[in-house]
Amino acid sequence: ELEACHDFLCRHAPILSHWPALFVQQALNEPEGCAAHVWAQGIVGRETDSVRLLRWLNKPHEIQKKATDTVTAFHWMPTCVSVQPKGRLAVVGTGQGSLHIINTETGQEVRSLMSSCDGISGCVFLQEGLLGSTSFDGQIEVWDIDSGCRTVEVDAHKNSITGCDVTTDRKNLATVSLDSKLKVWAVPKGSLAATLNNPCPLNCVTFHPEGHLVVAGGWDKAVRLWNWLTGQSVATLSGHEVSVRSLSFSPSGGLLTSGCLSGDVRLWSAPTWKCVGHYRAHQGATEVLQFMEGGRLLLSGGSDNMVHLWSGSLGLSIGQLGDSMERSAASQGQGSGRSAMVESPALCVVVAGDYVAVGYQSDGIHLYHRDSGERRWVSEGPGVSVRCLLWLQTESQAELLVSGSDDHVVRLWCRETEGHMRSLCRLVGHRGPVLALACSPDLLASASEDFTVSLWSVQSLQDQAGQSGDLAPTSVLRGHTGGVTCLCFSPNGQELLSGGKDQSLLVWDVSASPPRLSRSFLHCHTDWITGCTWTESTLVSCSNDCLVRVWDPASGQCFREFVGQDSPLSSVCSLGEYVLAGSGSGELAVWQWESGVEVTRIPAHSARIHHCTAYWHSGAKGEIQSQYTKPKDLAVATASDDGTVQLWLPLQVENRGSLSDHSGVIRGSAPEEEVPAFLTVAEDRTMRAWSI
């Protein structure tokens, strides 16, 4: 009963702290039979004449649990919150000039400090026991929270201080004000280190994690970056349509987010400072932005009283093929035979319309419905690794699937009815595992570990569609000195690009009769080339050397290079203006190939990505972008060693959760570094603690 009473008080603290006379009414509103309701019924039975109450007839039968762990109420409106580096204490500042020191575990107030200023506008821990606060009358104060003494007072600005932030090493404090100045202070003494002038009043400020850059947002809709050590302006970012209200850097410094009065949040990629995405976060101003969990999550708080948790980077998951729970059931013998989900690594994936075909290391080919994730067909035959897949569109509109496997054979399949594929014929001629496939309107190409590329006429495949048997290639291309790992036709279908373990890229003129080697680009990488693609005007390759390189197809000159972090890159694809690459660590990276801007990095899998393929999620089908298709409709499927295929919208953000417990504008947030939790304060005069 004591635990139930404590739970009741925590859930109703925001109301009871302001209207304690509602105690009995709130208890009576509890579900029938719970401790608080039984106690309230007893009160009503004894004091019918003196207590006037309402009975809730259609109330829930169970206690409605909220996401908030603890609630702390204040007499005055909170304006800011900050958590001690070790997470033991939090400080909340109010508009009346008080600072409340709170125990983060219990939510109880340990001590309160009273400033002589005209209300606290911001607070931040400068050291474990040292707190800095800013005020609406332009003052900076430094407090020793153990003794409760104010150690420094600085007349910092001529108008209200609207934002403050501290460097990662907590040696410098930045403040911005309605007086249009950004100032950097050395702490704990409070000496002025730099003054930067802005053409308009400022609302918010944040430091780059490395500490040399400082960013501010103001009334003129712009986000400005300075190197405060030199006083030089670095960039001015435009895109917001109204005043900028909030800013936050990801812990890596690779992404800057900004929020404005309209609720729009924009993401800027460092160091190019190009906008890589934006979305509407709130129905009203985005007052608070805060990266958490090492950049995995982005918190936003708004004037609509809502707190949202977003993915810390672009990348919206829209589906998974091969659920881990089903794989677990299969391993335990549940289900029947091949109807259970496979545990085999997924090696390749290809998307066409509503269907996704996946090739596995030891379980053949599976055909899934793209939207429902339902498996419609499983191939029968030898349990060999299927290394590559390709949907082949013919003039008769018959949907043909081509597969290449470790038994040196290319197979042709026809989808006759929904959920069923029929084996047509075998394409033979290779003397090693088939590693890659590509097609143009006229030709099908296959690449093998035997150093060769084989070509087949699409017309001959169409003629063979109603027959069975083996079909030999029309041409065999020899030029590589190692296994050929990737293929891609030029946009006009007249040339074929191949890359291999010999670290070379070869361009073949397949319009000639017979096809011939047109250009050779040797030593393109320092390790195996694992993927290649042909954009509108460039060649792109990736390698085990962790690099993506962009080439001029005429001269063979590398004019752009992307770094895939410290993990080998296993696959690359392109669609529209974007290049996407999967890595051995399970990460999916996206770049704009023309500008060189890194758009996002998605932790797509827990194991190596073997293959990725891009497609348009809506508007257009296949690889043709229509006038109705928007960049946000770019989708990618990734096949991994973990046995799953993930479907992503890499240019969209994912909402991980929405919290609506506050009943006032969100004024501040602070993550707890030692545990997965964070605090928020709002105009409803409460501080709430949330678990992640």
Side-chain angles (χ1 to χ4, degrees):
E1 289 186 359
L2 182 61
E3 184 177 345
C5 181
H6 178 265
D7 178 66
F8 170 80
L9 292 174
C10 287
R11 285 186 288 109
H12 296 283
I15 294 177
L16 299 182
S17 60
H18 296 293
W19 298 283
L22 291 177
F23 190 95
V24 178
Q25 178 67 69
Q26 293 298 101
L28 193 64
N29 288 345
E30 293 288 286
E32 303 282 345
C34 72
H37 182 269
V38 172
W39 174 82
Q41 287 279 45
I43 293 292
V44 173
R46 293 196 305 268
E47 304 180 19
T48 306
D49 295 333
S50 60
V51 180
R52 297 185 180 275
L53 300 166
L54 296 176
R55 290 191 180 276
W56 188 356
L57 299 180
N58 62 341
K59 62 185 176 183
H61 297 295
E62 296 181 356
I63 295 175
Q64 302 299 299
K65 290 290 186 181
K66 300 225 175 182
T68 308
D69 290 339
T70 59
V71 179
T72 305
F74 303 95
H75 291 295
W76 297 306
M77 186 182 72
T79 56
C80 56
V81 61
S82 182
V83 175
Q84 206 174 29
K86 290 185 178 179
R88 186 174 61 89
L89 298 176
V91 172
V92 175
T94 72
Q96 295 296 318
S98 60
L99 291 161
H100 302 267
I101 303 174
I102 310 294
N103 185 304
T104 55
E105 293 184 359
T106 64
Q108 298 299 308
E109 184 171 319
V110 176
R111 169 177 287 167
S112 63
L113 308 172
M114 198 66 194
S115 171
S116 60
C117 67
D118 186 20
I120 303 295
S121 62
C123 60
V124 62
F125 274 95
L126 306 176
Q127 295 175 10
E128 193 66 26
L130 208 60
L131 177 74
S133 65
T134 61
S135 70
F136 291 115
D137 57 4
Q139 302 292 313
I140 294 177
E141 295 173 306
V142 179
W143 305 82
D144 184 324
I145 62 172
D146 294 325
S147 65
C149 296
R150 183 175 60 194
T151 59
V152 174
E153 182 179 12
V154 180
D155 189 6
H157 291 271
K158 296 180 180 180
N159 208 326
S160 295
I161 297 177
T162 51
C164 64
D165 191 32
V166 68
T167 52
T168 305
D169 59 10
R170 300 185 186 273
K171 293 182 178 180
N172 295 100
L173 173 71
T175 57
V176 292
S177 167
L178 296 182
D179 64 7
S180 305
K181 293 185 183 299
L182 186 159
K183 296 184 178 182
V184 181
W185 310 84
V187 294
K189 294 184 178 180
S191 56
L192 184 62
T195 300
L196 303 170
N197 295 313
N198 195 65
C200 71
L202 294 166
N203 294 323
C204 49
V205 65
T206 188
F207 277 109
H208 187 279
E210 294 181 0
H212 64 296
L213 295 181
V214 64
V215 186
W219 288 15
D220 62 353
K221 315 170 193 177
V223 176
R224 287 183 168 83
L225 295 88
W226 290 273
N227 184 326
W228 69 270
L229 296 173
T230 63
Q232 294 181 338
S233 175
V234 175
T236 299
L237 313 182
S238 301
H240 286 292
E241 297 179 353
V242 288
S243 177
V244 179
R245 296 288 297 171
S246 51
L247 295 165
S248 183
F249 260 113
S250 64
S252 67
L255 195 65
L256 170 68
T257 59
S258 58
C260 68
L261 275 175
S262 66
D264 188 48
V265 171
R266 288 186 170 264
L267 292 80
W268 312 87
S269 177
T272 58
W273 308 116
K274 301 292 185 182
C275 181
V276 295
H278 65 94
Y279 54 94
R280 183 74 175 271
H282 294 275
Q283 301 297 319
T286 301
E287 299 286 355
V288 177
L289 287 172
Q290 180 77 60
F291 276 100
M292 301 186 301
E293 294 291 285
R296 184 176 64 87
L297 294 176
L298 175 66
L299 176 149
S300 70
S303 59
D304 56 3
N305 310 343
M306 295 293 294
V307 175
H308 294 296
L309 294 178
W310 310 90
S311 54
S313 61
L314 293 176
L316 172 62
S317 175
I318 57 173
Q320 174 177 302
L321 309 177
D323 186 79
S324 58
M325 292 178 63
E326 293 186 41
R327 294 203 311 274
S328 177
S331 67
Q332 295 174 14
Q334 301 176 16
S336 57
R338 298 180 66 84
S339 63
M341 186 63 68
V342 298
E343 293 181 337
S344 174
L347 302 183
C348 54
V349 58
V350 63
V351 182
D354 295 331
Y355 291 93
V356 181
V358 182
Y360 291 95
Q361 182 170 292
S362 59
D363 207 68
I365 306 169
H366 289 208
L367 184 67
Y368 296 90
H369 190 273
R370 190 187 71 182
D371 295 330
S372 68
E374 178 186 356
R375 189 174 62 257
R376 298 290 178 86
W377 173 78
V378 178
S379 66
E380 297 180 357
V384 295
S385 297
V386 179
R387 298 282 179 181
C388 47
L389 290 168
L390 179 72
W391 286 105
L392 188 66
Q393 296 292 334
T394 63
E395 293 181 359
S396 63
Q397 300 302 312
E399 294 185 358
L400 301 180
L401 179 66
V402 186
S403 65
S405 52
D406 276 2
D407 60 358
H408 313 173
V409 176
V410 176
R411 290 177 172 84
L412 192 63
W413 311 80
C414 178
R415 189 170 71 86
E416 293 183 321
T417 60
E418 185 173 345
H420 179 72
M421 302 289 293
R422 178 171 63 91
S423 177
L424 295 180
C425 62
R426 307 192 325 159
L427 312 183
V428 298
H430 285 299
R431 298 183 178 181
V434 181
L435 303 181
L437 295 166
C439 72
S440 71
D442 301 318
L443 293 172
L444 169 69
S446 63
S448 172
E449 192 74 72
D450 64 7
F451 305 1
T452 68
V453 176
S454 295
L455 299 179
W456 282 269
S457 166
V458 171
Q459 183 62 49
S460 67
L461 297 180
Q462 185 177 0
D463 295 340
Q464 190 76 13
Q467 307 174 22
S468 60
D470 295 344
L471 188 65
T474 57
S475 299
V476 177
L477 310 181
R478 293 180 172 87
H480 282 282
T481 58
V484 186
T485 57
C486 55
L487 294 169
C488 187
F489 278 95
S490 63
N492 61 12
Q494 301 298 303
E495 293 183 300
L496 175 66
L497 172 68
S498 62
K501 296 181 178 181
D502 56 5
Q503 306 168 16
S504 300
L505 291 172
L506 304 184
V507 180
W508 307 85
D509 182 358
V510 294
S511 64
S513 183
R516 60 181 178 83
L517 181 63
S518 174
R519 299 181 297 282
S520 300
F521 307 143
L522 306 179
H523 309 296
C524 296
H525 290 269
T526 59
D527 207 328
W528 291 357
I529 293 176
T530 54
C532 61
T533 185
W534 203 316
T535 70
E536 295 178 359
S537 58
T538 63
L539 308 179
V540 182
S541 62
C542 73
S543 167
N544 280 337
D545 63 8
C546 308
L547 296 177
V548 173
R549 284 180 169 158
V550 184
W551 309 85
D552 182 333
S555 66
Q557 294 296 313
C558 176
F559 64 90
R560 187 158 288 123
E561 185 175 275
F562 307 130
V563 180
Q565 301 296 357
D566 299 325
S567 181
L569 297 176
S570 51
S571 178
V572 67
C573 59
S574 66
L575 194 58
E577 60 182 308
Y578 298 98
V579 168
L580 307 93
S583 72
S585 65
E587 186 178 64
L588 177 69
V590 183
W591 297 273
Q592 287 180 322
W593 63 263
E594 194 167 6
S595 65
V597 173
E598 180 180 305
V599 177
T600 187
R601 288 183 180 270
I602 304 170
H605 293 271
S606 58
R608 172 187 173 90
I609 294 176
H610 278 285
H611 184 237
C612 62
T613 183
Y615 61 96
W616 295 115
H617 183 62
S618 61
K621 291 195 173 182
E623 297 185 356
I624 306 299
Q625 184 177 17
S626 75
Q627 59 180 331
Y628 305 108
T629 308
K630 300 178 181 178
K632 68 181 182 63
D633 293 324
L634 174 71
V636 60
T638 54
S640 169
D641 260 347
D642 62 15
T644 67
V645 168
Q646 300 284 351
L647 306 180
W648 301 91
L649 294 177
L651 303 184
Q652 296 190 33
V653 70
E654 181 175 358
N655 188 328
R656 301 285 180 82
S658 298
L659 311 172
S660 58
D661 286 12
H662 279 296
S663 59
V665 176
I666 312 301
R667 286 301 176 195
S669 70
E672 296 186 46
E673 297 181 6
E674 298 296 317
V675 294
F678 62 94
L679 307 176
T680 55
V681 294
E683 289 185 3
D684 59 6
R685 301 187 181 185
T686 65
M687 180 190 77
R688 293 180 178 269
W690 316 80
S691 294
I692 300 175

